[in-house]
Amino acid sequence: MSLSLIFDMDGTLFQTNKILEISLQETFNQLRIMNLWEKETPIEKYREIMGVPLPVVWETLLPDHTNIVREQANEFFHEKLITNINEGNGGLYPNVKEVFGFLKERGCSIYIASNGQVEYLNEIVKFYHLDQWVSETFSIEQIQTQNKADLVQTIMKKYKIEKGAVVGDRLSDIIAAKSNGLIAIGCNFDFAQEGEMSQADIKIDSLQELMSLECILN
């Protein structure tokens, strides 16, 4: 039986922190120009909730604003993220391509499941040529429930996955794995939280460790 690995994107494969701050600053500067924001940019608050669906992000960052303003902020934010990706300001975590090549050589199937928007994810995949290893990239936008576990279930059904793991840095990734009978591999990276990582079946400090995990490669 072949093994399938489903990877989160932000904070797992892609070092979102490299473009997060500048894109968020530019977004809130725009809100200031529109007289819709006066306080400091809530960067730390965003870091705390990194990985939740986008509607929740903007409800949290702009709790006193209308949905129209939240949607405008989200659109502007993603325009800036994509610009920064294409200007090379972001970056993959170390050894992503090496690990993907290793896994593919051993017959593993690789997928991406993310709470990010479709266009944003596609830009990352295209810029770093990840499609040479990744079978398909899935966004939470593609399902109605906005639930990561349901997104993983959708992938499993489409590709008839019976054995595999979800690799991610947040609790939603761990829950998505366990609720679907997969191994939960927690990435103890930039946005990871200790309490969440303790619930993973396996915790890694670098993606390269996937190359020596006998429990998933055998």
Side-chain angles (χ1 to χ4, degrees):
M1 185 187 303
S2 61
L3 178 75
S4 297
L5 285 95
I6 302 172
F7 288 83
D8 177 44
M9 179 66 89
D10 291 314
T12 299
L13 298 176
F14 185 67
Q15 297 185 69
T16 317
N17 58 315
K18 288 191 172 185
I19 62 171
L20 172 64
E21 184 169 336
I22 184 173
S23 299
L24 205 61
Q25 286 283 18
E26 289 171 334
T27 300
F28 277 84
N29 283 341
Q30 181 66 23
L31 291 176
R32 291 184 185 99
I33 292 171
M34 298 167 65
N35 294 317
L36 294 170
W37 190 261
E38 296 179 351
K39 295 176 285 186
E40 292 183 2
T41 302
I43 293 172
E44 288 306 315
K45 175 59 67 176
Y46 191 90
R47 290 181 180 276
E48 290 174 12
I49 62 173
M50 190 73 183
V52 302
L54 287 167
V56 179
V57 167
W58 295 106
E59 287 169 10
T60 304
L61 299 185
L62 300 173
D64 301 320
H65 293 69
T66 65
N67 284 332
I68 292 175
V69 172
R70 292 169 184 164
E71 289 171 5
Q72 289 175 333
N74 182 59
E75 289 176 7
F76 192 83
F77 180 57
H78 275 81
E79 287 175 6
K80 293 302 179 182
L81 286 174
I82 289 170
T83 296
N84 280 301
I85 289 167
N86 288 318
E87 289 180 352
N89 295 326
L92 299 177
Y93 277 95
N95 308 117
V96 168
K97 294 183 177 182
E98 177 187 358
V99 170
F100 277 8
F102 174 88
L103 293 172
K104 291 295 286 187
E105 286 177 0
R106 281 152 184 77
C108 299
S109 298
I110 299 171
Y111 308 91
I112 293 173
S114 171
N115 285 338
Q117 291 184 326
V118 171
E119 184 182 4
Y120 166 73
L121 297 172
N122 288 342
E123 288 298 325
I124 296 174
V125 170
K126 182 174 68 174
F127 188 84
Y128 295 101
H129 309 290
L130 297 180
D131 53 351
Q132 59 187 301
W133 302 288
V134 177
S135 297
E136 189 171 351
T137 298
F138 292 81
S139 165
I140 202 78
E141 286 187 318
Q142 296 170 255
I143 61 170
Q144 292 185 342
T145 63
Q146 298 285 293
N147 185 297
K148 193 73 168 280
D150 292 340
L151 184 61
V152 168
Q153 185 179 69
T154 297
I155 299 171
M156 293 178 69
K157 286 182 177 179
K158 179 173 182 177
Y159 286 95
K160 297 180 173 57
I161 295 170
E162 297 181 18
K163 179 183 178 183
V166 175
V167 185
D169 68 317
R170 299 310 302 262
L171 183 60
S172 59
D173 302 303
I174 295 168
I175 293 174
K178 293 190 172 185
S179 64
N180 285 291
L182 302 177
I183 299 169
I185 301 177
C187 298
N188 192 30
F189 299 170
D190 295 304
F191 300 107
Q193 298 181 13
E194 185 176 349
E196 296 182 356
M197 287 297 97
S198 65
Q199 299 182 53
D201 297 314
I202 301 166
K203 184 174 72 173
I204 60 175
D205 294 312
S206 74
L207 290 171
Q208 198 167 19
E209 292 179 45
L210 293 175
M211 298 166 68
S212 60
L213 289 179
E214 294 183 4
C215 63
I216 66 167
L217 294 176
N218 290 340

